[in-house]
């Protein structure tokens, strides 16, 4: 149950039973983008009385893979601390997705589908990220809408992340999926 007393709708998709429809929408997005993913593959003990089961492992995203945790609303300090501890404990980035996926807006901060990124050994997360595609090699990662980033390919770091037709189609697919209803 959420902090507001509303229960998420469990949703079946691609052979998995997701704890929320929003989690299932991210699975649709990953499939449409060709991002390899595993749902709740392993839990972690983050402290003496703190267990944590991340929503997704994205094993091929970035150099070491990444975790993705989905939240239906702005995260609490405790939720942010768990993400930071998971990044530090596993050495992988933790992406914290807030609300359902929404296409990145290049001219303003996203109102829905915003992603926070926690890096190992870094206290504060990057905020306001979204999924983008490298215009040269097609690599998918997260970046700030409209700002330059560096890909693993030969694309100069001054390149702007792109809202390619592939990205926009993937967002449309995850937003329009009806999950058998």
């Amino acid at each position: 149950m959420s902090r507001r007393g509303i229960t998420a709708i469990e949703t079946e998709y691609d052979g998995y039973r997701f704890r929320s429809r929003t989690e299932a929408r991210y699975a649709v997005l990953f499939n449409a983008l060709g991002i390899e993913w595993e749902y709740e593959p392993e839990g972690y003990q983050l402290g003496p009385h703190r267990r944590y089961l991340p929503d997704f492992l994205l094993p091929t995203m970035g150099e070491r893979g990444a975790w993705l945790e989905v939240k239906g609303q702005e995260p609490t300090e405790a939720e942010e601390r768990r993400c930071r501890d998971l990044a530090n404990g596993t050495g992988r980035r933790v992406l914290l997705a807030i609300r359902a996926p929404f296409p990145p807006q290049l001219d303003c901060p996203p109102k829905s589908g915003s992603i926070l990124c926690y890096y190992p050994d870094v206290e504060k997360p990057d905020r306001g990220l979204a999924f983008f595609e490298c215009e040269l090699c097609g690599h998918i990662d997260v970046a700030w809408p409209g700002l330059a980033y560096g890909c693993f390919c030969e694309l100069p770091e001054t390149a702007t992340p792109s809202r390619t037709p592939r990205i926009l189609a993937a967002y449309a697919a995850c937003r329009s999926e009806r999950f058998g209803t």
Side-chain angles (χ1 to χ4, degrees), residues 164-175:
T164 62
R166 177 178 168 204
I167 289 284
L168 295 176
Y171 275 106
C174 75
R175 301 287 294 178

Side-chain angles (χ1 to χ4, degrees), residues 2 20 29 31 37-38 48 66-67 75 89 94 107 125 128 151 160 166 173 176:
S2 80
S20 73
L29 179 72
N31 284 345
W37 59 273
E38 298 173 30
W67 298 103
V94 177
D107 55 353
C151 182
T160 302
R166 177 178 168 204
S176 65

Side-chain angles (χ1 to χ4, degrees), residues 101-160:
F102 197 79
Q105 305 299 309
L106 297 178
D107 55 353
C108 63
K111 292 187 170 110
S112 178
S114 180
I115 297 173
L116 285 70
C117 184
Y118 298 83
Y119 297 93
D121 302 319
V122 175
E123 182 65 23
K124 300 270 186 199
D126 287 342
R127 296 178 176 273
L129 305 175
F131 285 96
F132 282 95
E133 180 177 21
C134 173
E135 297 168 332
L136 185 62
C137 72
H139 175 76
I140 303 291
D141 208 330
V142 293
W144 282 296
L147 296 179
Y149 79 115
C151 182
F152 298 112
C153 72
E154 300 297 320
L155 192 63
E157 285 199 24
T158 58
T160 302

Side-chain angles (χ1 to χ4, degrees), residues 6-172:
I6 298 172
T7 303
I9 299 170
E10 287 191 354
T11 303
E12 291 185 23
Y13 171 74
D14 200 24
Y16 292 88
R17 184 172 199 82
F18 295 93
R19 295 174 194 261
S20 73
R21 184 134 312 175
T22 303
E23 289 178 350
R25 289 198 187 288
Y26 276 95
V28 173
L29 179 72
F30 300 149
N31 284 345
L33 291 173
I35 296 173
E36 185 180 333
W37 59 273
E38 298 173 30
Y39 182 65
E40 296 185 340
E42 186 173 356
Y44 291 91
Q45 189 79 36
L46 298 178
H49 304 288
R50 291 184 11 205
R51 293 184 177 168
Y52 189 52
L53 180 61
D55 294 328
F56 291 94
L57 171 62
L58 310 174
T60 59
M61 182 165 280
E63 294 177 4
R64 301 202 57 194
W67 298 103
L68 184 118
E69 179 66 21
V70 176
K71 296 293 173 199
Q73 55 196 357
E74 289 293 323
T76 64
E77 285 183 31
E79 290 166 338
E80 288 203 52
R81 186 173 40 257
R82 281 193 295 270
C83 289
R84 198 170 26 259
D85 290 348
L86 182 64
N88 289 334
T90 63
R92 288 187 165 130
R93 292 183 297 169
V94 177
L95 308 174
L96 178 61
I98 303 168
R99 298 187 253 320
F102 197 79
Q105 305 299 309
L106 297 178
D107 55 353
C108 63
K111 292 187 170 110
S112 178
S114 180
I115 297 173
L116 285 70
C117 184
Y118 298 83
Y119 297 93
D121 302 319
V122 175
E123 182 65 23
K124 300 270 186 199
D126 287 342
R127 296 178 176 273
L129 305 175
F131 285 96
F132 282 95
E133 180 177 21
C134 173
E135 297 168 332
L136 185 62
C137 72
H139 175 76
I140 303 291
D141 208 330
V142 293
W144 282 296
L147 296 179
Y149 79 115
C151 182
F152 298 112
C153 72
E154 300 297 320
L155 192 63
E157 285 199 24
T158 58
T160 302
S162 180
R163 289 179 5 136
T164 62
R166 177 178 168 204
I167 289 284
L168 295 176
Y171 275 106

